[in-house]
Amino acid sequence: MDLGQWAAQNGTLVVAGAALLGLILIISLVATLRTKSARRLAQERHTSLFDNNTAAVATVDTKGAIERVNAAFVELSGYDEAQLQGIAFASLIAPDDRQRVLESLRDDSEHRPHSVESRLVHKDGLEVELEITSVPIVIGDRTFGTYQMARDLTQQRELERELESRALHDHLTGLANRSLFADRIRHALQRVRRSGHQVALLYMDLDRFKLVNDNAGHAAGDALLCEVAARLRNFVREGDTVARLGGDEFAILLEDVADAEEAETAAKRVVDLINEPFKVSGKAAYVGASVGVAVSTPDIESPEQLVRRADKAMYEAKRRGGYRYVPYTRDIDTGEIRLGDHLESELRRGLAAGELAVRYQPVVDLAGTQIVGVEALVRWNHPVHGLLPPSSFIPVAENAGLIIQLDRWVLEHSCRDIRRLLRQGVIQSRPFTLSVNLSSKHFEDEGLVDAVFGILTAEQFAAEYLQLEIKEDVVARGSEKIARLKSLGVTIAIDDFGMGDEPLGYLRDAMVDVLKVDRTFVMSLGGDRISTAVIRTILSLAEMHDLQVVIEGIEDPVQIEALRKMGGRLVQGFYFVAPVELDELEHLLTRGLAPAFIYQPGRRQGGGQEAPPETVGRG
């Protein structure tokens, strides 16, 4: 059969085969085009992500040389793209950090991203603190290089340094605070033991400061404290330390003094310095100084001992009329013991005679200006001295072992009061919280949890309404008791949050429910960048751990507005209302926050409330 005959007989089969082959070719072509299109789209997406990324990104080959950079990396380094191509990535890194970055570049054995902190040297010579994340570029089993993604840590580090500084320095004057001062004394005493030299501590309390504060206002009082700080700072030698220990109390650590006489000469000069008039609100203001002097001796083993001696000498200067210095002697110790016994016996008598009283300061929700809780604050109705703030008797209660009895009395009394308001329907807000302070001494007492349970049972007070406030330093050593307290159904708040130096792991461990921000961080809120940043950080931290935040010490509308913008909601402070008696609290809960209960500087609160003290609370 010739080819023509075969074609005639099998023509249909040939056409069908050709058509099938054509279809296969078309499908293959379409698939190829689709693959190329997908690759091109993926490449375009990758290029867009690389070029438009706000993070600084560079691709680095296996030899450590830069291949490409995006616009953010150009801006971060100061070099243009052409200058960066082909140079060693590590050459941009500060010499001290270069080895660590080189090791990071080589560490791609597990094909996983890893990060390292280092400093990049900007074109102008300045160093930029970075977190560099190295991401291997892996195709199949081969590594073709890495993406180096750099995050600028400059602002974060500045904030961390500021926060560290705030933790060690007084917010108002910039002087060392109590924590830093104790550390300086500790190191000074160590040097004393090695060198045989002496150090001296001058503990100073201002005379007549309360008069200036009351007459001219808190702002003028703060300005005066800053002026005092400036005088003391200019007085001391390099190497000496000036601290503000709280309120109108200052201290000076004099290092390498020859003897007690040199320390007393310095104390006399401080008294004379503070006796000079100050300018407050354009007017002359006269205050004085009571100064206690203590010089290191071989039996001093801790900063607390030296501070205690100087503190006692200062109180002796006060007792003698102020405006003077007094050196510490053993005789002062004897007199202090008699005075302490007197105050202790007075407080025991006051507890037995029912002279203690509870005041309630509302917690306000800014969202609706509604009272959503109260803090129970103890006062002493002394038969001679009148209503005493907690600062005048709580230290005595702590030292005398009366604090547990006192705190339990406050807990029992306040549970009874708030239960009555709940049953009467006066408290409409739900949830509503009664917050009560607990001294750290309770966490040395095995009966704490049973005592709280017993009071809740006896007073028929639902645990869900009770919040116990503790100090930050209690959390670590009291974790077992805190867990048992929470099992009762009560909530736990950290009082004066931000003032301690404890690790914050307890936030992650769900040991607390509420953070109460100390008024120290609130005083400059709205006008001070650092104060605003601190509170914003705390609010973010709380949101991350699902915690509530209560901001204490609110005194003016600027602070309110700043908090609203940051999302803060729960507040306490004299801007709304001072601590009130139970009947006044009932009136507030029934009628709401009326203008008569809004704090105005220089005016006594309506309804017989207390004028704002310098500090609020029991501890």
Side-chain angles (χ1 to χ4, degrees):
M1 180 183 299
D2 60 21
L3 183 61
Q5 291 176 324
W6 184 89
Q9 294 177 8
N10 298 281
T12 302
L13 180 62
V14 170
V15 170
L20 178 61
L21 179 60
L23 180 61
I24 291 171
L25 290 173
I26 290 170
I27 292 172
S28 176
L29 178 61
V30 169
T32 301
L33 290 174
R34 283 180 176 174
T35 300
K36 289 182 177 178
S37 177
R39 287 175 178 170
R40 184 167 55 253
L41 181 60
Q43 180 62 36
E44 288 173 355
R45 287 175 175 172
H46 170 268
T47 301
S48 177
L49 179 63
F50 183 90
D51 291 339
N52 300 318
N53 202 319
T54 55
V57 185
T59 57
V60 177
D61 65 20
T62 54
K63 295 181 180 179
I66 295 175
E67 294 180 326
R68 287 187 63 203
V69 294
N70 66 358
F73 195 95
V74 168
E75 182 180 356
L76 179 69
S77 67
Y79 297 95
D80 60 39
E81 188 171 358
Q83 291 173 310
L84 291 168
Q85 284 182 348
I87 70 170
F89 180 80
S91 68
L92 298 174
I93 305 301
D96 291 346
D97 298 341
R98 200 165 289 166
Q99 185 60 35
R100 189 164 65 252
V101 171
L102 286 171
E103 290 172 359
S104 175
L105 286 171
R106 290 194 292 265
D107 187 16
D108 62 355
S109 57
E110 296 184 2
H111 294 171
R112 290 191 304 185
H114 47 275
S115 299
V116 62
E117 291 187 9
S118 66
R119 292 160 297 153
L120 179 143
V121 181
H122 191 273
K123 184 179 180 180
D124 62 13
L126 296 177
E127 293 183 352
V128 183
E129 295 184 74
L130 301 175
E131 179 186 60
I132 300 176
T133 300
S134 181
V135 181
I137 303 172
V138 180
I139 301 176
D141 294 330
R142 290 185 60 192
T143 300
F144 290 85
T146 57
Y147 292 111
Q148 298 297 322
M149 295 183 287
R151 183 167 67 92
D152 191 346
L153 298 178
T154 304
Q155 289 187 335
Q156 180 180 328
R157 289 290 181 265
E158 286 179 358
L159 180 58
E160 288 173 355
R161 283 190 284 267
E162 291 285 0
L163 290 174
E164 183 180 358
S165 177
R166 289 296 292 261
L168 297 174
H169 292 84
D170 174 56
H171 75 284
L172 179 65
T173 63
L175 298 177
N177 65 9
R178 189 179 293 272
S179 176
L180 177 57
F181 194 63
D183 188 62
R184 294 279 174 86
I185 299 173
R186 185 176 297 107
H187 284 94
L189 291 176
Q190 289 172 354
R191 287 191 291 272
V192 164
R193 284 189 280 272
R194 290 195 300 266
S195 67
H197 295 156
Q198 289 181 295
V199 297
L201 179 61
L202 311 184
Y203 200 116
M204 184 186 88
D205 185 86
L206 296 180
D207 302 317
R208 292 172 53 88
F209 174 74
K210 189 175 186 304
L211 191 60
V212 174
N213 214 32
D214 290 347
N215 290 342
H218 287 291
D222 287 348
L224 175 59
L225 292 174
C226 290
E227 287 296 321
V228 170
R231 288 190 187 182
L232 295 178
R233 193 183 286 114
N234 291 331
F235 165 75
V236 298
R237 306 162 301 178
E238 185 177 355
D240 296 336
T241 302
V242 184
R244 181 183 176 218
L245 304 182
D248 59 344
E249 291 185 349
F250 295 82
I252 302 173
L253 177 65
L254 301 174
E255 300 211 34
D256 295 330
V257 296
D259 49 32
E261 184 178 351
E262 182 182 343
E264 290 178 33
T265 300
K268 182 182 185 304
R269 290 178 59 197
V270 168
V271 171
D272 294 340
L273 194 67
I274 304 303
N275 280 341
E276 292 293 321
F278 292 85
K279 278 281 189 181
V280 175
S281 301
K283 298 179 181 179
Y286 293 88
V287 293
S290 296
V291 179
V293 184
V295 178
S296 61
T297 55
D299 60 323
I300 293 286
E301 296 181 353
S302 69
E304 292 76 19
Q305 286 178 286
L306 191 63
V307 170
R308 194 177 304 120
R309 290 184 178 184
D311 187 29
K312 290 177 179 180
M314 183 272 289
Y315 274 105
E316 179 63 17
K318 282 281 191 189
R319 192 185 68 80
R320 297 181 190 179
Y323 302 91
R324 70 188 69 224
Y325 75 88
V326 171
Y328 169 82
T329 64
R330 295 292 182 184
D331 292 339
I332 290 176
D333 249 344
T334 307
E336 181 72 8
I337 291 169
R338 285 199 298 268
L339 179 61
D341 288 344
H342 175 67
L343 287 176
E344 179 184 332
S345 62
E346 279 282 285
L347 184 56
R348 289 185 186 279
R349 181 199 55 76
L351 275 165
E355 292 174 0
L356 294 185
V358 177
R359 297 288 185 269
Y360 297 98
Q361 183 166 42
V363 176
V364 178
D365 187 342
L366 291 179
T369 319
Q370 183 182 24
I371 297 174
V372 294
V374 291
E375 180 179 357
L377 304 169
V378 66
R379 301 290 187 263
W380 183 4
N381 278 314
H382 194 280
V384 176
H385 303 294
L387 193 68
L388 297 179
S391 58
S392 64
F393 61 89
I394 289 299
V396 177
E398 292 267 8
N399 293 331
L402 294 173
I403 193 65
I404 291 179
Q405 179 185 348
L406 187 151
D407 280 356
R408 288 183 183 177
W409 179 88
V410 172
L411 178 59
E412 182 180 311
H413 192 90
S414 56
C415 283
R416 187 179 307 139
D417 283 348
I418 301 304
R419 182 202 62 187
R420 180 168 70 81
L421 297 184
L422 285 165
R423 288 188 173 180
Q424 291 174 351
V426 173
I427 295 174
Q428 297 294 325
S429 172
R430 296 292 191 278
F432 188 91
T433 302
L434 165 64
S435 188
V436 180
N437 289 276
L438 282 186
S439 165
S440 60
K441 297 287 186 182
H442 287 276
F443 290 84
E444 301 168 9
D445 177 23
E446 290 302 319
L448 168 62
V449 181
D450 290 341
V452 172
F453 178 73
I455 291 172
L456 291 173
T457 303
E459 300 302 331
Q460 300 177 35
F461 191 77
E464 65 189 273
Y465 292 104
L466 180 61
Q467 178 174 289
L468 299 174
E469 291 189 26
I470 61 177
K471 296 295 184 184
E472 204 168 349
D473 61 354
V474 171
V475 181
R477 55 192 173 88
S479 57
E480 185 269 334
K481 288 188 176 68
I482 291 172
R484 289 175 59 199
L485 287 169
K486 286 176 68 69
S487 71
L488 298 179
V490 307
T491 56
I492 301 295
I494 297 296
D495 195 17
D496 298 336
F497 181 77
M499 299 300 290
D501 55 3
E502 300 298 316
L504 299 182
Y506 60 82
L507 300 181
R508 182 188 62 247
D509 298 336
M511 295 182 67
V512 300
D513 308 283
V514 180
L515 308 179
K516 300 198 73 174
V517 180
D518 186 76
R519 69 190 297 269
T520 298
F521 299 110
V522 178
M523 295 174 69
S524 303
L525 184 61
D528 175 59
R529 181 176 63 87
I530 299 303
S531 295
T532 303
V534 168
I535 292 185
R536 183 179 286 115
T537 301
I538 292 174
L539 289 170
S540 299
L541 191 66
E543 184 178 8
M544 187 187 309
H545 294 282
D546 195 25
L547 306 174
Q548 284 190 329
V549 177
V550 178
I551 311 293
E552 298 182 298
I554 297 295
E555 294 186 359
D556 64 60
V558 174
Q559 297 166 341
I560 295 287
E561 184 59 27
L563 279 175
R564 286 187 191 278
K565 289 179 180 178
M566 287 188 282
R569 288 190 56 172
L570 302 183
V571 297
Q572 282 178 252
F574 291 108
Y575 178 80
F576 290 101
V577 60
V580 296
E581 297 181 23
L582 184 65
D583 58 345
E584 293 172 305
L585 175 63
E586 184 174 350
H587 176 85
L588 283 172
L589 291 167
T590 304
R591 303 290 180 86
L593 290 170
F597 289 91
I598 302 296
Y599 169 60
Q600 296 178 11
R603 178 173 69 79
R604 191 171 174 81
Q605 296 295 293
Q609 300 174 64
E610 300 172 55
E614 290 177 35
T615 56
V616 178
R618 187 190 56 66

